[in-house]
């Protein structure tokens, strides 16, 4: 299958946030379940790079859900999206009137695609409005916020899922199988890195700690953390980290490159790293009787995988389409997502611990 979207994330960041101009081209809840054959309506909250470049196009390929509405602070963007995706006026909200979505039966699922500092608020507002929620990664600014989001969704009896698209991607799924089922014996080494050379404008929310919660670790490192966890199928107990900054004036508030060692209960150590200065995207695994890995591992272009027996030769898929279709099925059957809020929380506990380790210079427990 051809590459779904040839624009890389880096290209988009260079171009800055997409404006309206760019768009021209380019009830009671467990009891009520949508009919099994009804396509569920998704509303995207925040119409920036990821919504425009990936999620909306992916929603043209979904079979269980469709793009029913949007939530945006920009009237011009609302008009452009309405035209491009044939959206009904009543399904277009802004951040102020968003809570009225509770009265809108067209919208079953709210997908939060905003700067990280806004994830908690909009997830909780969506759940209180009676909607199921997908929240983008990283789930929130810290683990405490994740806990509040999980509690609010439980209280509202709504499902919460995190936008971890790689749990639906064949090569990453194969790594989970090879690692967790010891197909080449026990895993003896994991090394993974994810990053890109950030050249975006200095106004980006990604560079403001209050909005992003941190730099490349939050944005890109979360994939490396995930990769280690799902290769082993275990949870780390401690971490030691160090960082480097080549452009301290640019990355004033947030981390540029971080290296870490994740310690698992057996004493096994997985090495990982994140960067806004290096084009990394790999997961290399060694096991007792062979090796396997991915490179590129985590992007939305082609993913390539190898094992000691040769290339993986698995299909390229539209990650986000499979991810959203699966969540729609979860909603239809009132079934927990394979990437629920608890999965985001586990990663944020590790992220919190990495930042604590940077502060202290010590090996710190993940709690
Ligand atoms: P972006 O900056 O391109 O878009 C953010 C959107 O939020 C914009 O539409 C902007 O108008 C809106 N917004 C509302 N209030 C804002 C404010 N106060 N400041 C800045 N923007 C504001 O960002 P993005 O790249 O689309 O990222 C959005 C989310 O999606 C982030 O959580 C990011 O980590 C996640 N993401 C996930 C993936 C993935 O592969 N799963 C890829 C890219 C981004």
């Amino acid at each position: 299958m051809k590459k779904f979207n040839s624009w890389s994330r880096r290209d988009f960041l260079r171009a800055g946030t997409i404006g309206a101009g760019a768009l021209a081209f380019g009830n009671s809840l467990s009891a009520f379940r949508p009919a099994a054959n009804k396509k569920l309506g998704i509303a995207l909250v925040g119409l920036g790079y990821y919504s425009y470049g990936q999620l909306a196009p992916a929603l043209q390929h979904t079979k269980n859900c469709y793009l029913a509405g949007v939530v945006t602070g920009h009237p011009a963007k609302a008009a452009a999206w309405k035209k491009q995706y044939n959206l009904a006026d009543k399904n277009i909200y802004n951040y102020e009137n968003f809570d009225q979505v509770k009265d809108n039966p067209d919208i079953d699922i709210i997908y939060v695609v905003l700067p990280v500092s806004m994830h908690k608020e909009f997830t909780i507002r969506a759940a209180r409005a009676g909607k199921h929620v997908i929240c983008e990664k990283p789930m929130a600014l810290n683990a405490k916020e994740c806990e509040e989001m999980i509690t609010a969704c439980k209280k509202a009896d709504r499902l919460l899922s995190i936008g971890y698209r790689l749990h639906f991607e064949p090569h990453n799924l194969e790594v989970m199988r090879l690692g967790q089922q010891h197909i080449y014996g026990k895993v003896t080494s994991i090394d993974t890195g994810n990053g890109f050379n950030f050249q975006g404008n200095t106004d980006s929310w990604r560079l403001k700690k209050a909005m992003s919660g941190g730099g490349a670790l939050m944005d890109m490192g979360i994939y490396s953390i995930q990769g280690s966890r799902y290769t082993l199928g275990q949870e780390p107990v401690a971490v030691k980290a160090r960082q480097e900054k080549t452009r301290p004036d640019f990355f004033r508030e947030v981390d540029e490159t971080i290296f870490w060692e994740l310690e698992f209960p057996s004493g096994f150590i997985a090495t990982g790293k994140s960067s806004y200065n290096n084009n990394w995207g790999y997961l290399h695994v060694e096991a007792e009787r062979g090796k396997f890995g991915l490179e590129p591992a985590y992007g939305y272009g082609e993913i390539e995988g190898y094992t000691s027996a040769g290339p993986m030769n698995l299909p390229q898929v539209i990650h986000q389409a499979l991810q959203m279709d699966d969540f729609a099925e979860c909603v239809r059957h009132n079934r927990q997502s394979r990437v629920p809020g608890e999965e985001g929380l586990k990663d944020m506990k590790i992220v919190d611990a990495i930042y604590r380790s940077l502060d202290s210079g010590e090996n710190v427990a993940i709690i």
Side-chain angles (χ1 to χ4, degrees):
M1 190 178 139
K2 76 178 170 53
K3 205 164 161 180
F4 182 55
N5 188 323
S6 58
W7 268 60
S8 73
R9 162 195 188 78
R10 204 162 48 244
D11 294 331
F12 270 90
L13 283 171
R14 269 206 198 104
T17 302
I18 295 169
L23 292 177
F25 65 85
N27 318 349
S28 159
L29 307 173
S30 321
F32 170 74
R33 283 203 230 128
N37 56 358
K38 179 195 172 235
K39 267 194 161 192
L40 301 192
I42 293 194
L44 299 175
V45 187
L47 305 180
Y49 152 71
Y50 195 55
S51 284
Y52 181 71
Q54 300 295 328
L55 295 176
L59 280 162
Q60 310 312 304
H61 297 266
T62 42
K63 55 183 195 306
N64 302 329
C65 53
Y66 73 104
L67 179 62
V70 292
V71 183
T72 175
H74 301 274
K77 274 195 200 175
W81 277 68
K82 175 187 149 140
K83 190 163 168 226
Q84 181 165 356
Y85 292 107
N86 197 22
L87 302 174
D89 278 324
K90 69 182 178 62
N91 293 353
I92 298 177
Y93 295 88
N94 57 44
Y95 300 124
E96 287 72 42
N97 68 14
F98 167 63
D99 308 272
Q100 293 170 17
V101 75
K102 73 180 190 327
D103 300 317
N104 191 335
D106 289 357
I107 294 169
D108 304 283
I109 296 166
I110 297 291
Y111 198 146
V112 179
V113 203
L114 291 163
V116 183
S117 59
M118 301 170 79
H119 289 186
K120 179 180 106 171
E121 176 190 340
F122 279 84
T123 294
I124 294 176
R125 283 170 72 181
R128 285 185 181 152
K131 306 300 174 184
H132 301 280
V133 190
I134 309 175
C135 177
E136 256 316 313
K137 49 56 60 177
M139 181 171 169
L141 293 175
N142 50 52
K144 183 174 171 295
E145 285 198 347
C146 299
E147 280 162 356
E148 291 173 48
M149 293 157 76
I150 292 168
T151 302
C153 290
K154 286 211 170 112
K155 199 167 163 204
D157 198 10
R158 301 291 74 189
L159 294 176
L160 171 60
S161 181
I162 307 304
Y164 285 143
R165 56 188 164 72
L166 295 170
H167 287 250
F168 306 87
E169 193 285 314
H171 301 79
N172 279 270
L173 288 169
E174 178 65 354
V175 160
M176 294 175 204
R177 187 183 76 85
L178 296 174
Q180 294 180 24
Q181 296 182 19
H182 301 169
I183 302 298
Y184 287 97
K186 274 195 186 161
V187 170
T188 54
S189 143
I190 296 178
D191 182 38
T192 176
N194 199 30
F196 68 101
N197 191 344
F198 193 122
Q199 298 291 341
N201 70 50
T202 48
D203 288 337
S204 170
W205 61 265
R206 284 185 163 83
L207 298 177
K208 295 179 182 140
K209 191 164 177 8
M211 297 203 74
S212 59
L217 175 63
M218 293 282 280
D219 194 15
M220 307 302 285
I222 208 98
Y223 291 96
S224 306
I225 291 170
Q226 277 267 306
S228 302
R229 289 182 50 233
Y230 57 64
T231 300
L232 278 184
Q234 295 170 24
E235 299 308 325
V237 291
V239 67
K240 173 117 202 273
R242 69 180 172 85
Q243 68 174 322
E244 278 177 13
K245 266 195 196 182
T246 62
R247 288 180 283 164
D249 289 345
F250 191 75
F251 299 106
R252 280 173 199 275
E253 299 183 20
V254 300
D255 47 283
E256 181 182 328
T257 301
I258 297 183
F259 304 84
W260 64 84
E261 293 179 351
L262 274 186
E263 184 184 330
F264 288 80
S266 63
F268 175 85
I269 303 278
T271 55
K273 55 195 183 192
S274 57
S275 186
Y276 272 158
N277 193 43
N278 294 279
N279 293 319
W280 292 325
Y282 71 87
L283 170 61
H284 296 313
V285 184
E286 289 179 17
E288 290 164 324
R289 295 189 300 277
K291 59 184 182 178
F292 52 94
L294 306 172
E295 188 163 9
Y298 303 125
Y300 9 81
E302 304 229 337
I303 308 273
E304 284 188 36
Y306 64 88
T307 71
S308 298
M312 282 185 185
N313 285 326
L314 292 166
Q316 303 294 333
V317 300
I318 302 169
H319 313 176
Q320 298 88 348
L322 296 179
Q323 171 213 326
M324 290 187 278
D325 265 345
D326 184 80
F327 189 59
E329 274 292 87
C330 290
V331 170
R332 281 175 176 164
H333 301 290
N334 197 21
R335 189 177 72 213
Q336 182 76 282
S337 158
R338 76 177 75 159
V339 281
E342 286 79 357
E343 183 72 11
L345 170 62
K346 283 177 186 164
D347 290 330
M348 284 312 302
K349 285 185 174 176
I350 297 168
V351 167
D352 287 353
I354 289 176
Y355 285 130
R356 284 202 308 277
S357 174
L358 290 181
D359 285 345
S360 67
E362 305 286 327
N363 192 28
V364 305
I366 296 163
I367 41 171

